[in-house]
Amino acid sequence: MLPGHYFNREQSEAKHKILKRYLTPFASKILSKWPSIDFIDGFSGPWENNDTERLSDTSIGIALETLSEVAEKLGHRSSDRRIRCIFNEAKPESYALLQQFLDQARDQHPLLKIVAFEGKFAANAPAIRFAADHAFQLLFVDPTGYTGFPPSSLKLFNGRSSEVIVNFMRSFIERFVSGDHRDRERNLIELVGQKRAQYLLDTGVTIQSVEEEYLRMLRGDLGYQFAAYSPIHNPDRNEIHFNLAYATNHYAGMDVMRGAEYSALSEHDRSRYMKSVQDGGGDLFSGMMDEMEIRGPYLTARKEHLQMAFKTLENLVETHPQGLPFGQIAAMAQQTLFLKRSELGDVMVEMSSAGVVQATWEQRKGRKPNERDLILAP
């Protein structure tokens, strides 16, 4: 079998699959309520791509192809383009390639507005935000390192009509977490701001504490209601390579992201296993009878989260005795659980059988709660 565009870049493939499988339902849902969307790619490249013709292994190609399909399906017209793609790139050589590609892409994607900015994202952020005058913004931040997107630049795009996906580069950030890194304080300030950096330095800096503080920054400083991670493991080592941080103000967004994550990372776990068997020279099918042979870190975590879901939801119900719509409670749980809302609905049915919650959905003759059903303790 010939190697594909993502050969030895499987973690990037998983990241791009999440983006693609998120963009389609995201854009469809948003455009059913909002008149227009800006997709903003703050660190677009192209960089290490192998597909030089279509850029199908880059966020650029994925965004253009996916959003064009959405626009066509929704009946958009070139005279009334409701989706804009904004690409920003700092490296002159990459920007030249980007411009060359976009000159052709504008003809190939007539239903999209396509804009490019050259320069560092943090410096260009005010101009990009001014240009992004559509009703809703999705900001995608995927740098090659861990600088260039301070909270001050991200804050320009926050608000009720926005969402953000940040590739939290764990493989890079771990380098300055260690106490002997000379630029640790400066890098922490660049990542989470002065006050949060000082808090980390005072309480102890670990990669886990930095990641947790980053989510607190998205919720606290940027004001998003929900924020969570999707971890992407390196297939050659048992460690997280990327951690996609996602923030939204609507509970439906959390479910769309968890759905895209499940589809992409389940495949990533299986391809990771297949690669390990091939690299080891063993029989590809020798361990297929045992599910544990295939299940990777993501699917293993999901199984653990299914076991934790009952208690997690029970705690949320106890702390909100006035009741909350199931969609809201599910999204709160999804901040820590890699589960889809439908799976949490099944757990909620178990909770009603155990007398932990009222089966309010039975009033409309439902089998399990929908997003609008009020969840109440007995």
Side-chain angles (χ1 to χ4, degrees):
M1 182 175 63
L2 294 174
H5 293 313
Y6 288 101
F7 182 68
N8 283 335
R9 297 171 56 225
E10 291 85 359
Q11 60 268 21
S12 293
E13 181 179 23
K15 173 184 63 179
H16 287 156
K17 282 183 176 179
I18 290 177
L19 176 64
K20 179 178 179 61
R21 293 171 191 184
Y22 173 77
L23 280 177
T24 298
F26 157 80
S28 300
K29 285 178 179 289
I30 293 299
L31 289 170
S32 69
K33 298 181 180 180
W34 302 79
S36 55
I37 292 174
D38 289 309
F39 171 77
I40 304 160
D41 190 340
F43 298 76
S44 53
W47 300 316
E48 298 179 356
N49 57 296
N50 290 313
D51 182 359
T52 58
E53 182 178 349
R54 295 175 52 240
L55 301 190
S56 62
D57 55 341
T58 71
S59 57
I60 305 163
I62 289 168
L64 292 175
E65 289 289 341
T66 306
L67 293 174
S68 284
E69 292 172 1
V70 172
E72 184 176 358
K73 185 176 181 180
L74 294 177
H76 292 188
R77 302 184 303 274
S78 58
S79 59
D80 181 27
R81 293 174 294 175
R82 297 166 57 192
I83 302 176
R84 180 192 287 117
C85 292
I86 299 176
F87 301 102
N88 184 82
E89 176 52 39
K91 296 180 180 179
E93 61 274 18
S94 294
Y95 182 77
L97 294 172
L98 173 65
Q99 277 284 43
Q100 181 180 353
F101 176 77
L102 294 182
D103 287 342
Q104 300 174 353
R106 289 185 176 89
D107 293 331
Q108 297 169 0
H109 303 285
L111 300 182
L112 304 179
K113 300 176 185 177
I114 302 174
V115 181
F117 282 81
E118 181 178 13
K120 295 182 178 180
F121 173 72
N124 284 347
I128 294 172
R129 183 63 186 91
F130 182 79
D133 60 359
H134 279 179
F136 200 100
Q137 284 77 43
L138 171 62
L139 176 62
F140 181 63
V141 179
D142 184 15
T144 54
Y146 48 82
T147 60
F149 53 104
S152 58
S153 63
L154 300 183
K155 194 172 179 63
L156 294 172
F157 300 90
N158 73 330
R160 189 173 69 90
S161 58
S162 73
E163 294 182 355
V164 60
I165 302 173
V166 177
N167 187 4
F168 190 90
M169 302 286 287
R170 179 186 266 220
S171 58
F172 285 91
I173 293 171
E174 280 184 312
R175 299 176 186 177
F176 70 78
V177 165
S178 61
D180 58 352
H181 196 292
R182 64 177 184 176
D183 293 325
R184 183 174 65 158
E185 182 174 354
R186 178 176 62 82
N187 289 331
L188 284 172
I189 293 172
E190 170 76 7
L191 196 63
V192 298
Q194 178 74 50
K195 290 184 178 179
R196 294 185 182 277
Q198 190 59 54
Y199 169 77
L200 288 167
L201 292 168
D202 291 342
T203 58
V205 181
T206 65
I207 186 61
Q208 291 80 12
S209 66
V210 175
E211 287 174 337
E212 290 170 2
E213 198 62 29
Y214 197 80
L215 291 186
R216 293 189 189 101
M217 183 274 293
L218 290 174
R219 298 187 195 106
D221 302 347
L222 270 63
Y224 287 104
Q225 188 170 358
F226 307 106
Y229 283 118
S230 291
I232 302 174
H233 284 71
N234 187 312
D236 300 317
R237 295 188 294 273
N238 189 26
E239 61 184 34
I240 296 173
H241 191 86
F242 300 140
N243 227 351
L244 287 188
Y246 169 69
T248 181
N249 282 304
H250 199 283
Y251 57 75
M254 281 300 307
D255 197 49
V256 171
M257 177 54 78
R258 288 302 187 211
E261 165 199 277
Y262 173 73
S263 175
L265 296 189
S266 295
E267 289 181 10
H268 184 56
D269 267 11
R270 294 185 178 97
S271 63
R272 179 177 182 268
Y273 168 73
M274 293 176 70
K275 182 179 182 181
S276 70
V277 172
Q278 291 171 335
D279 290 347
D283 181 357
L284 179 59
F285 300 100
S286 62
M288 287 295 185
M289 298 301 292
D290 186 353
E291 183 187 0
M292 288 300 296
E293 292 294 322
I294 304 174
R295 189 188 305 137
Y298 172 72
L299 292 174
T300 298
R302 265 182 51 83
K303 185 174 182 180
E304 295 172 355
H305 290 186
L306 278 168
Q307 296 171 346
M308 297 163 51
F310 190 110
K311 189 62 178 178
T312 300
L313 290 170
E314 183 179 20
N315 290 339
L316 288 170
V317 171
E318 289 177 353
T319 54
H320 296 83
Q322 76 282 7
L324 286 174
F326 175 61
Q328 188 88 359
I329 282 188
M332 294 167 73
Q334 286 173 315
Q335 292 184 108
T336 56
L337 304 178
F338 304 156
L339 302 176
K340 293 177 283 186
R341 186 196 297 155
S342 60
E343 295 170 308
L344 294 172
D346 292 334
V347 175
M348 195 63 71
V349 172
E350 294 178 26
M351 294 171 65
S352 69
S353 298
V356 176
V357 298
Q358 300 179 35
T360 53
W361 50 92
E362 292 181 352
Q363 297 173 9
R364 56 173 179 80
K365 298 182 180 179
R367 185 180 65 83
K368 62 182 181 180
N370 65 25
E371 61 186 43
R372 294 177 297 276
D373 286 325
L374 190 66
I375 301 302
L376 293 165

